[in-house]
């Protein structure tokens, strides 16, 4: 991957929960074909690490990452499986140290101004805002843009096609995370064509112009 921010790869990062690792490769291929190369596979199922490994090995155009990372052990296991970025729902100093040492980009989760300031103090300028809708949504992020313009976010949680454009219109939002392009019935039916079509619609969402790339948040 070219040296650019994870937040700038695509307007939407699909948040994937897989119970069967055999679905990982065709799903990733559908998402990439639809224009969504950054794929977050959450560590919520026993199949997650195998899914990450399969995508990393078989879908070179995908930028596969691990989500719901909450322990240093998960950081290590995810990177060993081939994860090219890490996403956490929240952070501690111990988890942050492990993510920094991993050698891959990461998005620690925040939901309060104090957490944002604490990460900025530690040199982190790109973050996950979670749970986005429950934590204040676009109004909250808009309020942060004035006093903390150096912070950039990937909001996740309660975001769908109806409100994603509102988030992407904000200057401090680089992309959003969501699952709407992965409806349960399409996954159950392995309807990869439908998922590709929904991914293409999501990839067509526009973002606010003139976004400055943050230092220390590049994808390798």
């Amino acid at each position: 991957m070219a040296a650019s921010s994870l937040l700038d790869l695509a307007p939407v990062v699909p948040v994937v929960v897989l119970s069967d690792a055999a679905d990982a490769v065709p799903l990733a291929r559908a998402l990439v074909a639809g224009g969504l190369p950054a794929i977050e596979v959450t560590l919520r199922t026993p199949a997650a690490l195998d899914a990450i490994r399969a995508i990393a090995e078989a879908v070179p155009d995908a930028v596969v990452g691990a989500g719901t990372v909450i322990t240093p052990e998960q950081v290590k296991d995810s990177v060993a499986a081939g994860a090219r970025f890490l996403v956490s729902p929240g952070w501690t100093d111990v988890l942050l140290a492990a993510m920094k040492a991993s050698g891959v980009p990461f998005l620690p989760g925040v939901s309060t101004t104090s957490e944002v300031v604490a990460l900025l103090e530690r040199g982190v300028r790109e973050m996950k805002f979670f749970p986005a809708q429950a934590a204040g949504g676009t109004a909250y992020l808009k309020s942060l843009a004035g006093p903390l313009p150096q912070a950039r976010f990937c909001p996740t949680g309660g975001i769908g096609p109806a409100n994603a454009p509102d988030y992407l219109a904000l200057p401090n939002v680089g992309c959003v995370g969501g699952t709407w392009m992965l409806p349960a019935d399409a996954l159950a039916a392995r309807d990869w064509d439908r998922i590709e079509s929904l991914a293409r619609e999501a990839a067509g969402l526009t973002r606010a112009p003139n976004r400055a790339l943050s230092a220390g948040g590049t994808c390798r």
Side-chain angles (χ1 to χ4, degrees):
M1 175 174 39
S4 62
S5 167
L6 172 63
L7 272 60
D8 295 305
L9 286 176
V12 179
V13 176
V15 180
V16 177
V17 182
L18 285 173
S19 56
D20 187 347
D23 292 335
V25 169
L27 174 61
R29 286 175 175 158
L31 292 171
V32 170
L36 301 181
I39 302 169
E40 177 188 335
V41 178
T42 67
L43 302 183
R44 301 180 192 176
T45 68
L49 289 174
D50 286 337
I52 291 170
R53 187 174 295 108
I55 294 171
E57 292 176 354
V59 192
D61 291 334
V63 181
V64 64
T68 322
V69 176
I70 58 174
T71 68
E73 291 75 21
Q74 288 178 329
V75 170
K76 180 180 178 181
D77 292 344
S78 297
V79 174
R84 296 172 66 184
F85 66 91
L86 306 168
V87 183
S88 67
W91 67 277
T92 65
D93 281 319
V94 171
L95 179 59
L96 187 66
M99 290 193 291
K100 281 186 172 182
S102 71
V104 301
F106 55 90
L107 296 174
V110 297
S111 60
T112 68
T113 307
S114 294
E115 290 172 317
V116 176
V117 172
L119 283 178
L120 292 174
E121 285 182 348
R122 290 159 174 80
V124 179
R125 295 163 62 180
E126 296 186 347
M127 313 165 194
K128 171 178 177 173
F129 180 56
F130 177 82
Q133 281 292 95
T138 56
Y140 193 93
L141 287 172
K142 188 180 299 184
S143 298
L144 291 181
L148 302 171
Q150 64 272 52
R152 298 179 74 221
F153 301 94
C154 173
T156 305
I159 298 177
N163 61 1
D166 297 330
Y167 282 94
L168 292 169
L170 300 176
N172 57 349
V173 170
C175 62
V176 299
T179 61
W180 73 88
M181 73 298 299
L182 305 164
D185 57 341
L187 284 172
R190 295 178 170 82
D191 189 346
W192 312 125
D193 288 340
R194 181 182 171 200
I195 288 173
E196 179 182 337
S197 177
L198 291 170
R200 186 169 290 108
E201 292 176 6
L205 295 174
T206 58
R207 295 179 277 188
N210 301 322
R211 299 171 186 276
L213 293 182
S214 299
T218 58
C219 281
R220 300 168 177 80

